[in-house]
Amino acid sequence: PILDHFSRLYPDITIDIEQTDASWAVNGIYQCSVDLAFIMAHEISNLDSSLLEWRIIHSIPWGAYIHRSSPLFGQSSITIESLKDEPIILLSSVASSSYSTTVISLFQAHGIQPKVRSYVSNNTSLSFAMHQGNGVVLANEFLGVPDQTDIKYFPLEGTADGIALVWRKQFANP
């Protein structure tokens, strides 16, 4: 409905939407083949501020996705400290240049070295590993877990992520 409304207001603007990883979207902006991208806020740390601008448009906390096989599943809330002995599944640096660094920093800010069980290549693999009970996944609520019977999401107070809108300072397309 929002896209239909926008198209009625601005009939001369064509909107093509693609769901992809942040690095592809940002590279598209650098190459002027993409005008705008929505990326996770933790991804802005690697952007070139001389060429790109961004704004955080939605703030959300990090959270932990816990499988029912974990003793933490029955808790009403958890903290980073609660996760100190849990195996953690992370995205590889190929999938996200800043995800693993950010998650590890969240733990280290609490004096904890996370117990990384594995690194996976993309969000789908992250979801598969999580659903098999291979470990805890840290992400925000937008990871989108359809089966909530085996997985529980716990927001982590005092953490911050969000969605950033990114664009080129000098638009190639007026």
Side-chain angles (χ1 to χ4, degrees), residues 3-174:
L3 292 175
D4 290 341
H5 179 70
F6 182 90
S7 294
R8 283 192 300 276
L9 291 174
Y10 305 99
D12 295 335
I13 296 176
T14 302
I15 297 177
D16 294 315
I17 296 178
E18 294 202 31
Q19 190 277 326
T20 185
D21 62 41
S23 62
W24 186 91
V26 170
N27 283 335
I29 293 173
Y30 284 128
Q31 297 168 5
C32 300
S33 62
V34 172
D35 294 322
L36 299 167
F38 296 96
I39 64 173
M40 300 314 303
H42 64 267
E43 298 285 352
I44 64 174
S45 62
N46 296 323
L47 299 182
D48 181 348
S49 62
S50 69
L51 294 175
L52 303 180
E53 294 187 59
W54 56 85
R55 181 181 320 149
I56 306 295
I57 60 168
H58 183 69
S59 294
I60 49 178
W62 282 86
Y65 286 89
I66 307 289
H67 187 267
R68 76 169 41 247
S69 62
S70 169
L72 297 176
F73 186 83
Q75 301 292 319
S76 58
S77 66
I78 62 170
T79 64
I80 295 282
E81 290 84 0
S82 307
L83 301 171
K84 69 180 179 183
D85 295 321
E86 294 292 312
I88 306 297
I89 304 166
L90 297 174
L91 282 173
S92 72
S93 59
V94 173
S96 170
S97 58
S98 64
Y99 170 84
S100 293
T101 306
T102 304
V103 170
I104 290 169
S105 295
L106 288 172
F107 280 88
Q108 290 174 339
H110 291 85
I112 301 167
Q113 188 61 34
K115 297 188 178 349
V116 178
R117 181 184 186 281
S118 62
Y119 289 87
V120 297
S121 61
N122 55 48
N123 280 343
T124 302
S125 298
L126 195 67
S127 183
F128 286 148
M130 176 178 55
H131 280 283
Q132 289 183 291
N134 294 345
V136 173
V137 169
L138 271 73
N140 58 48
E141 63 188 321
F142 293 115
L143 182 58
V145 178
D147 176 15
Q148 294 297 321
T149 58
D150 288 337
I151 305 292
K152 202 170 180 183
Y153 174 74
F154 294 90
L156 296 168
E157 293 222 11
T159 63
D161 196 18
I163 298 174
L165 178 61
V166 182
W167 63 93
R168 192 171 177 85
K169 283 187 176 182
Q170 299 297 320
F171 275 115
N173 180 352

